[in-house]
Amino acid sequence: MGMRGVLVYAVFAVFIDPCRGTLTNCNEVRKVFQLKEIGPVKSVPETPRTGSDLQVCLSKNLTCCTKKMEERYQVAARRDIQNLLQTTSSSLKFLISRNVAAFQETVESLVHQAENHTHAVLLHTYRDLAGPAAAPLGEFFTDVGLFVLGSELSLEEASQRFFDALFPLVYERLVEPDLSRMSLSYSECVRASCRDLGPYGGAPGRLAALISRASMPGRVFLQALHLGVEVINTTDHIQLSRECRRGLLRMSYCPHCQGLTTSKPCMGYCLNVVRGCLASLAEVDAHWREFVRSLETLSTRMHGAQDLEQVLLEVHGLVRDAVAHAQRNTPRLSAQVRRVCGDPVRQQPEQVSSGQHGSVGRDSIPLKGAVRNADDTLSNRRKEFLSSLRLHRAFYGGLADQLCVSDLAPGDGTACWNGAGVASYTLRVVGNGIKAQAENPEVKVKEADPVISQVIDKLKHINQLLQGKSIPKLGTLDQIETGSGDGYSGDCDDEDGCWGSGNGAAERRRIETMLTPGNTNNHRYHHPQSKGFDQMNSGTRGTQSVPLVLVSICAFALLSG
C-alpha cells in the first residue's frame, strides 16, 4: 500500500468507527464545507444522522448530509465542472483572441503604410496636388481599414467619394493650371460632376474591386476566428442536464456525506460521468477539426490577387495612373466642365488668403511609412497562429478524458470512490459522443443539447465559406473572389490603360438596389459573426444567414464587369 493509501486509511480510522462502520463525528465534513464555501457551516450537523430525506447521496449507514446540504453540493459540483471547463479552454481561447487583436493591429499598420506610400507618390509626381489631397486620401484609407476588418460599408462608394473629392484639385491644378484658385461654389460643381464626366475612366470601380477581392479571404478568416471564440464561450457555459448534475453530485460530493472528504472517483467511474455530461461537446469534435483544417486551406490561398498586403501596397500606382488618365484627357474634361458648370469662377482674395485650397499640411512634411518589422506580415502571423492552433485540433474529442486524467480522478491506482463506497469500479466504461451514452450506467443522455447543435451548424457554415464551397445564390468563395459567374473579369483590355470608358452610373443603380440604404454609409465596426451566424438560429431565414458582406462583394464584381 502506498503512502497515499496509508493516509486514506488513517482518515477512515479517525472518523469512522471500525466496529460499527459508521461515522463518529462530522468535524472534517464541516471543515471542508466551509473551506470550499459551499454554504453556511451551520447547515452541517454536529453528529451523523440518518439520511432518509436524501435523494442522491443514499447510504445504509449514518450520514453527515442533510437535504439542504445535498442541494448545496449539487450547485458546487456544477460550479466545479464549469470552472474546470473554462480553465481547460483558457489557453485556446487566449490564443485565438490574441491573434484576432494581432491581425487587426497588423491590418491597421498596413493600411497606414499604404496611405503614406500613396501620398508620397502623389507628392513626388504631382506636388501641388498632394497637400490638399491628404484629407480625402486619409478618409478613403480609413474606410478601407474598416472594410477589411469587417464593416459593411460600401467600398465602391468610398472609392467614388475619394475620386470625387480629388477631381476639383485635378481640374484646377492639372486640367486648367493657368487659372487661379476656383471659388468654393464652382469647386463644388466640379466635384458633383465627377461621376457623370468619368475623368478617371473605370478607376474608382476597379480600385474598389481589387481591394474587395483581396480583402474577402481575410474578412472570412477573421470572421472564423470570432466564431471560434464564440464556440469556446458557448461550450464553457454548457447547460448541464438534471441527470448530469445528479451524476456529478454523486461522484464529487456524496463521499463527503460519509466523511470521505479526500477521496477521488475511480477513473472508469469518472469517465462515464463526465463523458455523459459532455456528450454534446464531443459532437463538436469533427467539425472543430474541420474548422482548423479549413483555416489552413484558406491561408494557403491568400496570395497574388488575394494577398491583401500586396494589393494595398500597390494602390499608389492605381491612383497615380488614374490622375494621369484625367490629365491625358484635358481638352475633353475642360470642355465638359465648362458646359456643366460654366466658365470658372475665381476665388475672392480673402478666400485665397484663408488657405481653403492652399497646399497646406503634409506636402511640407517629409513623409515616412510606418516602421514595420520585415517579419511582421499578415502571412507570417497566420502561419505562426495556425501552427499553434493545430495543437488544439483534437480539443473537443479528448475534453472529457482530459478533465478526469488531469483534475478529477487519481492517477496512481490508490483507493477510489466508485459511487457507492471506496472500492474498485467494475462497470462498463462507454465511449465519447451521444450514441455511445446509450449504455452509460451513470448518466442517461436523451438528446443533444440544442444550443450546442446551433454552434455545430455555425461551424458547418463557416467551414463551407473557408473551403470555398457553394452558398445558395452567391456561388463559391472562389467565384466571389475572382468575379467569375457574375460578368466580372480580371482581364484588362481597355485601350486607355485598363480604365474603361463609361461612368458606371447604370451599374451603380444596380448596386444601390442590392444594398439596403442603412448599410451604404455605415462605418461602424462590428464582429462579423454577430450578423450572419446569429441569423442561423432560426431555421426559416434561409439565405439571410449569408453575411451581407458577400452580397456587397458580388455587387462590386457586377460593377467591375
Side-chain angles (χ1 to χ4, degrees), residues 398-463:
L399 183 55
D401 298 36
Q402 183 179 349
L403 295 184
C404 286
V405 171
S406 302
D407 298 284
L408 298 174
D412 56 2
T414 58
C416 58
W417 172 257
N418 66 4
V422 177
S424 60
Y425 186 74
T426 58
L427 299 181
R428 175 187 175 185
V429 178
V430 300
N432 285 296
I434 298 292
K435 291 182 179 179
Q437 306 316 307
E439 303 298 326
N440 194 323
E442 306 299 341
V443 178
K444 299 302 178 187
V445 180
K446 297 179 181 179
E447 59 185 1
D449 185 325
V451 175
I452 302 303
S453 295
Q454 288 178 354
V455 164
I456 290 174
D457 286 341
K458 293 179 181 184
L459 278 173
K460 288 179 180 177
H461 182 77
I462 196 65
N463 286 342

Side-chain angles (χ1 to χ4, degrees), residues 197-204 206 325 328-329 332 491-504 560-561:
L197 301 184
Y200 311 106
R206 181 171 175 80
H325 179 82
R328 286 197 301 272
N329 287 274
R332 175 178 68 84
D491 297 333
C492 174
D493 57 6
D494 187 89
E495 61 184 6
D496 289 327
C498 301
W499 300 116
S501 57
N503 59 27
S560 300

Side-chain angles (χ1 to χ4, degrees), residues 286-302:
H287 307 285
W288 182 261
R289 289 173 182 266
E290 185 179 5
F291 174 72
V292 176
R293 286 195 302 269
S294 300
L295 283 171
E296 292 176 323
T297 300
L298 179 63
S299 181
T300 61
R301 296 162 56 194
M302 293 186 190

Side-chain angles (χ1 to χ4, degrees), residues 287-401:
H287 307 285
W288 182 261
R289 289 173 182 266
E290 185 179 5
F291 174 72
V292 176
R293 286 195 302 269
S294 300
L295 283 171
E296 292 176 323
T297 300
L298 179 63
S299 181
T300 61
R301 296 162 56 194
M302 293 186 190
H303 57 81
Q306 295 173 32
D307 184 343
L308 179 64
E309 195 155 12
Q310 176 181 325
V311 169
L312 284 182
L313 294 180
E314 292 176 354
V315 167
H316 68 277
L318 194 150
V319 173
R320 179 195 58 209
D321 292 346
V323 173
H325 179 82
Q327 193 174 22
R328 286 197 301 272
N329 287 274
T330 290
R332 175 178 68 84
L333 291 175
S334 178
Q336 289 178 329
V337 168
R338 289 173 183 269
R339 186 163 57 248
V340 173
C341 300
D343 291 332
V345 178
R346 291 170 174 78
Q347 203 174 55
Q348 296 300 320
E350 60 269 18
Q351 290 179 316
V352 174
S353 62
S354 68
Q356 290 280 348
H357 290 268
S359 298
V360 179
R362 293 173 66 175
D363 60 343
S364 61
I365 303 173
L367 195 67
K368 296 182 179 180
V371 178
R372 297 177 65 226
N373 189 323
D375 295 329
D376 186 22
T377 65
L378 288 172
S379 177
N380 287 341
R381 281 196 178 276
R382 283 195 307 270
K383 288 177 182 177
E384 292 173 6
F385 164 66
L386 291 172
S387 177
S388 299
L389 184 64
R390 199 176 299 117
L391 302 177
H392 298 272
R393 62 185 179 275
F395 175 76
Y396 285 104
L399 183 55
D401 298 36

Side-chain angles (χ1 to χ4, degrees), residues 139-140 143-144 153-163:
E139 181 181 346
F140 171 68
D143 288 341
V144 169
L153 63 84
S154 168
L155 196 56
E156 167 68 19
E157 180 63 26
S159 176
Q160 190 63 65
R161 278 200 311 271
F162 163 64
F163 281 105

Side-chain angles (χ1 to χ4, degrees), residues 175-211:
V175 177
E176 299 279 7
D178 295 331
L179 293 174
S180 59
R181 296 293 180 257
M182 299 181 296
S183 68
L184 296 180
S185 59
Y186 195 83
S187 179
E188 174 59 24
C189 179
V190 174
R191 188 199 65 78
S193 69
C194 180
R195 302 194 188 195
D196 293 326
L197 301 184
Y200 311 106
R206 181 171 175 80
L207 176 60
L210 287 173
I211 296 176

